[in-house]
Amino acid sequence: MIVKIKNLKINAFIGVHKHERIHRQEIIVNIALEYDSKTAAASDNIHDAVDYELIAQKIADACANARFALLETLVNRITGIVMEDARITKATVEADKPQAILDADSVSLTHTVSRG
């Protein structure tokens, strides 16, 4: 099964410019994670499912307590958080930085990790 967290809004200190190191910026994160959901579907028990609310909270906490120069570093950190749950076999994380370029909607990076 693929679980998607869409348009998760987080605020982070991110960037190499002085103003980016002083003011938090909104980053929009999209995550697709894959896991075998057969047990969760059969049991209808939250403990057998991937807790996407917990994943979102861990991401928000990690971003609130860190500073990033590069979007690459942020995306890598988020991907690592998603993959902490051993049941997740594959994760794709895309992060958009809307304020990166004046004449663009955003700059985004996408990172995919698979187990095995």
Side-chain angles (χ1 to χ4, degrees):
M1 180 168 290
I2 299 173
V3 176
K4 293 183 179 181
I5 300 173
K6 296 182 178 184
N7 300 320
L8 176 65
K9 293 170 181 64
I10 57 172
N11 290 299
F13 289 107
I14 183 164
V16 296
H17 302 291
K18 184 177 180 179
H19 69 276
E20 294 176 309
R21 293 189 307 262
I22 296 170
H23 303 288
R24 290 182 185 274
Q25 296 180 64
E26 183 177 79
I27 303 297
I28 301 167
V29 179
N30 287 285
I31 301 165
L33 58 91
E34 295 182 30
Y35 82 107
D36 183 348
S37 61
K38 291 176 191 164
T39 302
S43 71
D44 198 28
N45 186 323
I46 186 65
H47 300 293
D48 294 328
V50 168
D51 189 341
Y52 48 82
E53 186 175 11
L54 178 63
I55 291 171
Q57 187 59 55
K58 284 182 175 182
I59 291 167
D61 291 346
C63 292
N65 297 316
R67 292 179 180 266
F68 305 94
L70 300 177
L71 195 54
E72 288 87 342
T73 307
L74 173 65
V75 170
N76 192 58
R77 175 83 52 89
I78 292 171
T79 305
I81 291 168
V82 173
M83 295 301 288
E84 286 175 359
D85 187 323
R87 296 172 294 183
I88 297 172
T89 57
K90 182 178 179 181
T92 299
V93 173
E94 179 183 26
D96 284 82
K97 185 178 174 186
Q99 299 167 355
I101 299 175
L102 182 62
D103 293 329
D105 289 340
S106 71
V107 170
S108 72
L109 290 175
T110 303
H111 183 51
T112 301
V113 175
S114 299
R115 291 198 199 278

